Structures are given as structure tokens and as C-alpha cells.
Amino acid sequence: MRLINARTLRLDEFYDNAIPRYAILSHAWGDGEVSFQEWQDPTKASKKSGYAKIKGACRQALKDGLEYLWVDTNCIDKTSSAELTEAINSMFAWYRDAVFCYAYLSDVPTLNKADADLLNSFRKSRWFTRGWTLQELLAPRHVTFYSSDWGRIGTKSGSLAKEISTITGIDVSYLTNQLPLASASIAKKMHWLSRRTTTRLEDMAYCMLGVFDINMPLLYGEGSKAFIRLQEEIIKISNDHTIFCWTWTSSVPPDWVSLLAPSPETFKFSGDFVKSSVGRSVSTYSMTNSGLSIRLPI
């Protein structure tokens, strides 16, 4: 794991048990983000608009007594497919293990405004529409939201819990750590994703790997097949039948014949489905070369 030294701004690499306590940044990507290669040249990096965001996160980490920070823009060498695959498969755990997560909302103006105006800007933030920020909201225990000038707005499990629940459709009990994420049904998790978007189509699947505790190789260029692969991997480890509780919306291709959903958007009405209670008999199923194999009562 590559971390930014919050004092020197150098990138240091750590492995396994040697990883120090660190903070982590969550943000919606925009123009002018600083890449791993650009970070090696401070003069070049400081000219990018994303540099100030990272510096601000470093200052906040030091205030919180932490010497290290992880940021997805410059801590991953995205020219290496192997490193990118490892990072995406590890990202949920990295957010989960961070001492603090700073959710930086660049489109929420300064705090010198009435509370009602601030909350209105908060609700409309682009951060809540992005696929990757879903796991960044769910994985960390402590998420604090900051405005564009690094003014503190509130926390996901405290003052903002009900507001975030209304915006995202995620039950407060999951935001406040009263219920483990594993207790949510597959349909419910897909529902949380259904109204979000990613720049690359494949990332609508890849951004959910950690949420479902799945590891799989990345194949950029596979398009919508990535979401099918994700569901096939989920089926290998789960007997939760709510994976089939999706709706035939206008986005479904007319010739679609699979019981698996073609996209997360088809789960937008599936937030209330729950897994069968413990103790009830659940039919096992699997994917075969002929499709889904499952035995159900008539």
C-alpha cells in the first residue's frame, strides 16, 4: 500500500502488518486530478487543480494526529494493470481500515451560509451520484464530510445520518454500524447502486467488489459483461435469492433471456427485498454451461 507522508508529501510504500495508521480521502473525480507520475514532480503536481484537495486532506490528517494519507488519484500507478487490479480488489479493505475517511465535497460551497442552504447544497452534491463513493461511504467506520474550503459539515453516523439515508436510500442502521453490511440482501445493495453512475461502464461492477466481498480480475473493454461476471461470482458464495429480484425496465434489451440482471439500474425498485430468515430451507443454485441450475417448489 502506497501512502502519502502528510508532512513531506513523499510517497512511502508499506506491506501487511507494517502499514501505519492512516486517513483516507473520498471525493468525486474532476478535471485536473494529480496522477502517480505527476506527483513525482512537485512543480508539475502543484499546477493541477487536484493538488490543493490532497494538500487539504494532508493538513486535516495532521490535525487528527495521523502522519499518512491515502488518495486514489496519486497513490496508484494506473499505468500498471496489475497494480490497478490489486488496488481495486483491495480498496474496500483500505477504506474499512482507515482511522478516518474524509469525504470532500468540492461542489458544496463554504460554510458561511445558513444551515438550510448548506444542507440543500449537500443533498445535491455530485459525490452522492458516483458509483465508487458508495463503498467509500459504507466501508469506513468514521466518515466526516467537508465542504470545498475544508469546513466540517458533519459525520455519516452522527448529525448527517438521517440526511444521508434520505439521499442514498441506505438504512440508518447501516450508516451507524448498528447492522453489519453482510446482513443486507443482494437486492438491497444493488438498489443502493442503481441510481449511481461511473465513467467506465465496467466500473459499475468493479466498484461493488468489496461491498459483496468478491475478488475478480478486471477486464476493461468487456463493457456490460462485467456486471454479469459480478453476479456469477456472487452466486458462487451466496444462496440469497434476492439476486433475481430485479425489474424489467426500459433499459433491458428486448432479447434479454438471462435470469441475471443486465445492469444495476434494474434493481432501482428492489430496496425492500430481504434474505430468507435463518433456519428456513433455501435452494442452492449455480451457473452451468446451459445457464442457471436451480430447484424450486411448484
Side-chain angles (χ1 to χ4, degrees):
M1 184 182 196
R2 196 177 286 118
L3 295 169
I4 306 167
N5 185 308
R7 295 189 186 278
T8 67
L9 301 185
R10 288 196 315 253
L11 289 172
D12 297 327
E13 203 154 343
F14 301 93
Y15 297 94
D16 302 324
N17 295 332
I19 297 173
R21 297 168 74 246
Y22 62 92
I24 200 162
L25 179 67
S26 173
H27 63 117
W29 280 42
D31 296 330
E33 300 292 355
V34 185
S35 69
F36 169 74
Q37 286 74 22
E38 291 166 336
W39 192 259
Q40 313 308 311
D41 183 345
T43 303
K44 182 183 292 185
S46 62
K47 294 178 180 178
K48 303 295 290 285
S49 58
Y51 182 78
K53 172 170 46 180
I54 299 173
K55 284 271 288 184
C58 285
R59 286 193 296 269
Q60 187 60 49
L62 291 172
K63 286 180 185 178
D64 289 331
L66 299 172
E67 297 287 325
Y68 288 96
L69 172 77
W70 188 85
V71 182
D72 57 357
T73 53
N74 67 326
C75 289
I76 305 171
D77 181 2
K78 297 174 186 65
T79 63
S80 167
S81 59
E83 181 171 329
L84 181 61
T85 295
E86 180 183 0
I88 288 179
N89 277 277
S90 304
M91 207 170 289
F92 186 92
W94 290 348
Y95 275 91
R96 180 197 64 207
D97 296 340
V99 179
F100 295 111
C101 176
Y102 307 138
Y104 178 75
L105 310 185
S106 61
D107 53 355
V108 176
T110 61
L111 290 175
N112 297 324
K113 53 167 44 181
D115 288 346
D117 293 335
L118 175 64
L119 280 177
N120 189 47
S121 297
F122 179 76
R123 295 184 193 107
K124 295 177 179 177
S125 177
R126 180 169 166 263
W127 190 90
F128 290 108
T129 70
R130 307 305 294 165
W132 287 106
T133 55
L134 177 58
Q135 70 171 357
E136 295 165 16
L137 174 65
L138 294 169
R141 190 167 185 83
H142 302 288
V143 181
T144 304
F145 289 84
Y146 293 90
S147 63
S148 57
D149 65 346
W150 284 95
R152 188 178 186 277
I153 302 173
T155 64
K156 79 158 181 176
S157 58
S159 60
L160 296 174
K162 290 184 179 179
E163 193 68 46
I164 294 171
S165 178
T166 301
I167 297 167
T168 63
I170 301 172
D171 312 59
V172 169
S173 53
Y174 295 107
L175 298 173
T176 56
N177 305 304
Q178 293 174 298
L179 283 177
L181 183 59
S183 67
S185 69
I186 292 172
K188 185 180 287 290
K189 292 175 183 176
M190 293 296 194
H191 169 71
W192 296 340
L193 176 67
S194 63
R195 289 178 173 83
R196 293 172 178 256
T197 59
T198 55
T199 303
R200 297 290 298 268
L201 182 58
E202 296 89 344
D203 284 336
M204 287 298 284
Y206 302 159
C207 73
M208 295 296 283
L209 295 183
V211 174
F212 287 109
D213 198 17
I214 294 291
N215 292 100
M216 72 182 202
L218 312 185
L219 300 173
Y220 282 105
E222 66 176 327
S224 59
K225 292 180 182 178
F227 190 65
I228 302 301
R229 276 206 302 134
L230 173 67
Q231 294 172 88
E232 290 172 349
E233 291 298 319
I234 293 171
I235 284 175
K236 292 177 183 178
I237 64 168
S238 174
N239 287 332
D240 179 359
H241 289 177
T242 68
I243 194 171
F244 306 118
C245 296
W246 53 277
T247 303
W248 193 284
T249 65
S250 58
S251 67
V252 180
D255 58 348
W256 192 258
V257 294
S258 175
L259 281 176
L260 299 181
S263 71
E265 189 267 343
T266 60
F267 285 93
K268 65 182 179 181
F269 303 116
S270 305
D272 294 329
F273 288 104
V274 297
K275 292 187 284 188
S276 296
S277 58
V278 177
R280 291 183 60 186
S281 176
V282 178
S283 299
T284 58
Y285 51 91
S286 62
M287 294 301 297
T288 71
N289 61 329
S290 297
L292 180 73
S293 174
I294 185 170
R295 178 175 294 180
L296 294 172
I298 297 177

